[in-house]
Amino acid sequence: MSLQMPPSHPFDDDKLREECGIFGVVGVTDAANFVALGLHALQHRGQEAGGIVSHDPVEGFNSARRFGYVRDNFTSQTLMKTLPGPLAIGHVRYSTAGSKGAAIRDVQPFFGEFSMGGAAIAHNGNITNADALRRELIERGSIFQSSSDSECIIHLMARSLQQNIPERMEDALRRVEGAFSVVAMTRTKLIGVRDPLGVRPLVLGKVGDGWCLSSETCALDIIGAEYVREIEPGEMVVISAAKGVESVRPFRPRPSKFCIFEHVYFSRPDSIIGGRSVYETRRQIGVELAKESPVEADLVCPVPDSGTPAAIGFAAESGIPFGLGITRNQYMGRTFIEPTEQIRNMGVRLKLNVNRALVQGKRVILVDDSVVRGTTSRKIKEMILDAGAAEVHFRIASPPTAWPCFYGVDTPQREKLLAATMSEEEMREHLAVDSLKFISLDGLYRAVGATEGRKADCPQYCDACFSGEYPVAPTDMIAKGFQLKAAE
Amino acid sequence: MSLQMPPSHPFDDDKLREECGIFGVVGVTDAANFVALGLHALQHRGQEAGGIVSHDPVEGFNSARRFGYVRDNFTSQTLMKTLPGPLAIGHVRYSTAGSKGAAIRDVQPFFGEFSMGGAAIAHNGNITNADALRRELIERGSIFQSSSDSECIIHLMARSLQQNIPERMEDALRRVEGAFSVVAMTRTKLIGVRDPLGVRPLVLGKVGDGWCLSSETCALDIIGAEYVREIEPGEMVVISAAKGVESVRPFRPRPSKFCIFEHVYFSRPDSIIGGRSVYETRRQIGVELAKESPVEADLVCPVPDSGTPAAIGFAAESGIPFGLGITRNQYMGRTFIEPTEQIRNMGVRLKLNVNRALVQGKRVILVDDSVVRGTTSRKIKEMILDAGAAEVHFRIASPPTAWPCFYGVDTPQREKLLAATMSEEEMREHLAVDSLKFISLDGLYRAVGATEGRKADCPQYCDACFSGEYPVAPTDMIAKGFQLKAAE
Amino acid sequence: MSLQMPPSHPFDDDKLREECGIFGVVGVTDAANFVALGLHALQHRGQEAGGIVSHDPVEGFNSARRFGYVRDNFTSQTLMKTLPGPLAIGHVRYSTAGSKGAAIRDVQPFFGEFSMGGAAIAHNGNITNADALRRELIERGSIFQSSSDSECIIHLMARSLQQNIPERMEDALRRVEGAFSVVAMTRTKLIGVRDPLGVRPLVLGKVGDGWCLSSETCALDIIGAEYVREIEPGEMVVISAAKGVESVRPFRPRPSKFCIFEHVYFSRPDSIIGGRSVYETRRQIGVELAKESPVEADLVCPVPDSGTPAAIGFAAESGIPFGLGITRNQYMGRTFIEPTEQIRNMGVRLKLNVNRALVQGKRVILVDDSVVRGTTSRKIKEMILDAGAAEVHFRIASPPTAWPCFYGVDTPQREKLLAATMSEEEMREHLAVDSLKFISLDGLYRAVGATEGRKADCPQYCDACFSGEYPVAPTDMIAKGFQLKAAE
Amino acid sequence: MSLQMPPSHPFDDDKLREECGIFGVVGVTDAANFVALGLHALQHRGQEAGGIVSHDPVEGFNSARRFGYVRDNFTSQTLMKTLPGPLAIGHVRYSTAGSKGAAIRDVQPFFGEFSMGGAAIAHNGNITNADALRRELIERGSIFQSSSDSECIIHLMARSLQQNIPERMEDALRRVEGAFSVVAMTRTKLIGVRDPLGVRPLVLGKVGDGWCLSSETCALDIIGAEYVREIEPGEMVVISAAKGVESVRPFRPRPSKFCIFEHVYFSRPDSIIGGRSVYETRRQIGVELAKESPVEADLVCPVPDSGTPAAIGFAAESGIPFGLGITRNQYMGRTFIEPTEQIRNMGVRLKLNVNRALVQGKRVILVDDSVVRGTTSRKIKEMILDAGAAEVHFRIASPPTAWPCFYGVDTPQREKLLAATMSEEEMREHLAVDSLKFISLDGLYRAVGATEGRKADCPQYCDACFSGEYPVAPTDMIAKGFQLKAAE
């Protein structure tokens, strides 16, 4: 089925993109309002579309799914009145693992009516055996509504032999491979699950007499909820107003592999992961970078806005002054018509402008979070030089991104990743800068608190995008011809 | 006439707001595309609406006026094709000095057909005798289309006895009191004027074979134009592709009174005013503040985003670490439905979140650009304390704002200004913070480059919002009962 | 799931309403354009929403579903380009037998991906055992996307053991009770089916080298197709560009029961049913009425627009002049705000106005197609009297509507039908008119060509709405407590 | 200034089009609601756009102007609440005499603020010296907001030396040449004027304690107002709640020249003009036509819908049966994408379909209201013949339209009018029909009640479109080169 009205995307093509944020709440009046606020705080995890399902004892299940920002869609009194009840879940997404087209039927949460009542689910992550599951389900007579990998879960639940919904969900998730954090709901229960490796985040909060689940703690803050704890890898919590939080363990235990890129870029700096401030981790990455790859210079300048904490750390550690050499246009846009006489780097100019007076004649250290395709880095370098900088040194707050992610992150194909085809020196030449240094994988592990660095035999995090070591085999992708890293 | 569809405004009520940005270009292919880009770069000067008028030798004058952001309106190929020609001007506005309602007919540029051809004008500033002029013009049979003070100019031009449009404009502007920078166009000429005091900015740039006029230099950067010079106070430039730039002086010379608040808040940090980087000036204000009002503390934290340069300066001068203790939600919104259980400071939470891990237990210096009503300052202070800060010290990068502006800035009535009714100590108590210090007027003058400080007998800038000394009498306002500061 | 944005409906509440029109075409370039035209011609059968699915060998299946009129939705080049290919089907609907709310997911055609490829179906009629089927399918693990009874068909197909889609459709439709005409498509075939009784219409046409299926012949005319024949009751045709039309008979033969109300009101007057012009049949009903229930009068006036052909027939037979005493506002609307001083019959006035000069002092015969609730009839009578008519005589071109339809027509509950609770004389008193006469059931049969009248033991048509004799038991409704007519 | 978003027009290009309908009311609660209803009833006089201005003692003047139908724009509670007060006027228009582009600023009513208060005016007609007036006003310093000829009136009023608004209006209208009916309002008064010839209609009604003015009586009916009388040619009425209706005569008396085409086509059949039912007049035209140009045939068939009353009259007089051989699609549209294989006459098929069974083998008389370009007539003839008619005879309910109208009707340039370049026999050949007859000018005059026929020396109506005798010289058009009919 086809593409209709794909909304334009405000972000650059030259970043990895988290694909989803999920939020749920039970035991409060007008739960959907809380969910709308929570999703607003998680908007950085998915800007394309959002959806909310609520349940009310009288009105039953209701849902609304919309393209665009939460603030533009889920703030009208008219709409929110159609989502009554004390229990609701929601989802924001960038795009699905399915077809490239954007269709409203791909927007989660997904809903299914079973003989024992309805259930809705919202999924953050990616199912690596979704193609195989889909084929099997269609053979058995299931009709798929969407192109989303996540829809497999609800069909597996529909066919489960178990007699209640949480058990059907356990049954379904045992068939699923890959990375998933799930928030789901029945008529009375809020359910949260993380996959056995705990790749994607999910936290539990307490709000008034009720409970909530969220991808990140920053969404607890916005509704004034108290942070309780993280859902553990492989844990399933079933929460009801009546019985509170019950925890079960549907999966065989495995060593945890939390996504290290959540620390580097995906999560908001004001969130707390594993007891650590994301902001502080990023600042610490800057400190490590300054130790690993010092350089004489006059100015430490962040590439806005994600490079800022690392730049602050780099400046503090190096003693080189910190300054905002690049201004971000907060009214970003990118579809302006180019005037007939060509303007160099117009795409970047719409979003960024160099503070000419600040950089002129200076040796500038640019601190950025990552290099993906390298296209933006090149343009920024040119702008800085055009403005009269004497030297440009890139310091990157993550190791070279050389492998695609199959666990719920939008990454280019491997051949588009600069680091997949070039050495660090080749990249420096390609970007034509005076120096280019990435933080080491060990430096990154130290910055996130693994003081001993990365354990090569069993890394403490999922770092497949840097290392090529995939903790879960990407079944569907291998079937399509993806080559894993050769064993060494 | 009435209010229809007032667009919501993304900014806080607790700031002074620049009311307009203007831009014009002549001598390029498809001038309107350049104007759209220029207005995008000036969007911070007015978010409510924008308009563009273009002229083409074959198609004549064309115009488009829209509510909302430039990026949302002036990027469609369909629309931009309706604005052909080598000459165009544009305007973004927050609101007019007229009725509070928002009507598309109040959106500039204004256009008038005269016997010698059409002209369009865009105005940044405020005409302080607009009421009196309007009454006079209506008596003579003019019909006003809008509630805007700026419309007086085009009616005065329509009635001028002069035989060409630039002379009619001189004629008209001699009747006008107040602050104005104007960009105008005839079928062949681009015209720029600043009032005799030069209160509002206007700069000249060179783009390819053509010329452009802009409120700020940041809009020259986006189209790759070269900065030439500022239009001088009391100067009028008439620019054509054929004859280049001609300069005339329609007004009696007076001492310059540029708006000092452009340095503090209105202009973009990457603009250059009077040869000085705005960013650098703001950083310097932070340095001066640290010298004037030091305090022992653990963290210098900007109130995002406008307080950041001063905070960087304060941190550098004081040696106290700089850190982003407050995170701004880039998907700002403010009309969410409040859940039934009240959330404290929800309005602020939609935009800002405190980085709890960073501020906990710390003595925090919050650096903000100004205090207007003080409502936001109170809420931010509460959020910081809720997050566990030990002490909160406010340092403000401008003197107390005690007087309204009548020169094109949206300010509350005098009684709503915190500083109009309270001393600094009373404000501190009102905000309930450990200390509150404003930069001194002399300190501010030093930061903007007046090393000798403010000349009391003839201040080098308009600083009426701080001092109550209005360089042009606000005629209409006095007629409505406004009380000037008593002579001392 | 809930109601969002129910589109307002332009028709009166006081009519029976056909619920669907269906159209399909194969073997032409850009089939979807033909379908859009066909649906436009069938718009009278469903105004709420429309959908089209097309298939192209390269682009696969594509679909678009929209609320509102075909002319407003399926005319944009942008949209139609997303529906390429030589094979397409479409559907317009008033509402489904499902929940009262309008949701885009209830809009047909429905699509399912099976292991042997995708299929789409569009359904006109009503499945009388849909509730039971739905329960059974959910038990087996099917997830329903909509509240439509028609969705059962695609799920039954998904679970069929047969190995090709037409056989799966046979398999599915054998489980279905009720009235149905179906147009369906696979990647290469267009399929049409009518239920064994042939309650709803479906005709076959030839267009260029291709073939089409349509609810009515008027949609063949708009695309310049040649009428071939009607699909027979109980027949299934499978049409491909390669093999042409193949006919199969999946059901046990039964006597035909075509809906007689299609002749009275649903079908367009320029359509041909069973070889008879609908216009001519309606004119003939007027002739029969004039014979059965003559009255002395001065003017025969149709209730616009559906009463017109019968009024022409009545006038011709009676010799009383025909005149347009009621003018219809072609810019119909019905949601105007009522001015404070109440206007009598304002709802009717928005649509109709009496031609005062024509009716004044006259004895007026009003000819209408049916009386359902009687509310509109009352208001029209009042307007005619207000305008000065001397007498008002109603002549109704159908027998009293005393029973609801369960075969794809929107009827009020039985107790809301005027004729269910009142005798003809009671109705006359209720409407307060000088006389009120309905055509007899035998007269109606004669008018549709059954010269011998109705065969009481085995009526030639479905006339359940008049007689209460339902040719298919309304299983779901009986389960909900509906009382069949007592056997006599 | 340019065209943006021209709304599509639902009517055929092959008709003359009335350009405006006007309505006003004073002395009722929420007058704007009455105006919305009145404009809805006058929608046939202008479908492109509508506007309403209201006045409330507290809220002052308010206005709303919208493209599209009244029923779509002026029915929302939100909008209508912005138009409070006991006094309001409104306007619907097809297009102005100005530029071809559609701009919201061209939508009436026009508003002007004078020193003695505001006034709004709505104009039906056309000012034949508007170009000259506009030049003069611009010379004096007026700035025009629109391209509408009607705007001259408000500028003339603004410059009048008179001291109250009704006198200023008299002053202004004395400078105006052409055809005009005007409805205007001040803060307390409703004003109505017709030009000295009374070319365009205007009637007075009584509604509750208030009064209303309307282009036609059908708009009185919809609000339940009582018809009082027509405003006389050259009369001005000034109506207030306090003083009731005052009548003045600002112009030199001249013989009345009401537009005879209002009877033929423009006015609604349920309106009453000069005491005569429009429907009855049209029926009588059919009677006259049957007398003047009889023909042997089997069926009298109207071209829907405007030809219907004349067809009824023709059938009654001739004794040939009346039948609806052409069905109109009530969901009209005209921008469908044409399928690749060309469909003959597709444009017409979207709106009309021939009732094949009725016309087959018959000699058909088609009765239409007028022939303008003749393009539609050709297509209808072809469709009738395609359907198997034996003969086609056109009977036209107006004389040949050989001259453009300059008094507020949209007509093609003279050379596009079929009758301007062809004799009746040439037209018959061009249309390729068996016979073609127009009613004679005398016959038309008899049908509208002038039993003696047309007085050649001083015709009782304006019939310039038929006769070329213009009662007011078209000054601007003559200046542009238009050739009047040579004196005989």
Side-chain angles (χ1 to χ4, degrees), chain A residues 1-4 61-64 66 82 111-115 138-143 145 154-155 158-159, chain C residues 1-4 61-64 66 82 111-115 138-143 145 154-155 158-159:
Chain A
M1 304 293 242
S2 80
L3 167 78
Q4 279 143 28
F61 284 99
N62 282 283
S63 84
R66 297 278 190 278
T82 69
F111 179 81
E113 190 73 45
F114 308 139
S115 49
I138 287 174
E139 282 292 341
R140 292 186 184 215
S142 294
I143 296 180
Q145 307 171 31
I154 198 103
H155 284 291
R159 289 172 172 283
Chain C
M1 303 293 244
S2 79
L3 169 77
Q4 278 142 29
F61 285 99
N62 282 283
S63 84
R66 297 280 189 280
T82 70
F111 178 82
E113 190 72 46
F114 308 139
S115 48
I138 287 174
E139 281 293 341
R140 293 186 184 214
S142 295
I143 295 181
Q145 308 170 31
I154 199 103
H155 284 291
R159 289 171 173 284

Side-chain angles (χ1 to χ4, degrees), chain C residues 170-188:
Chain C
E170 289 181 43
D171 207 21
L173 290 175
R174 278 190 213 104
R175 281 300 311 279
V176 160
E177 299 168 8
F180 51 85
S181 287
V182 169
V183 167
M185 65 189 280
T186 68
R187 283 173 296 190
T188 56

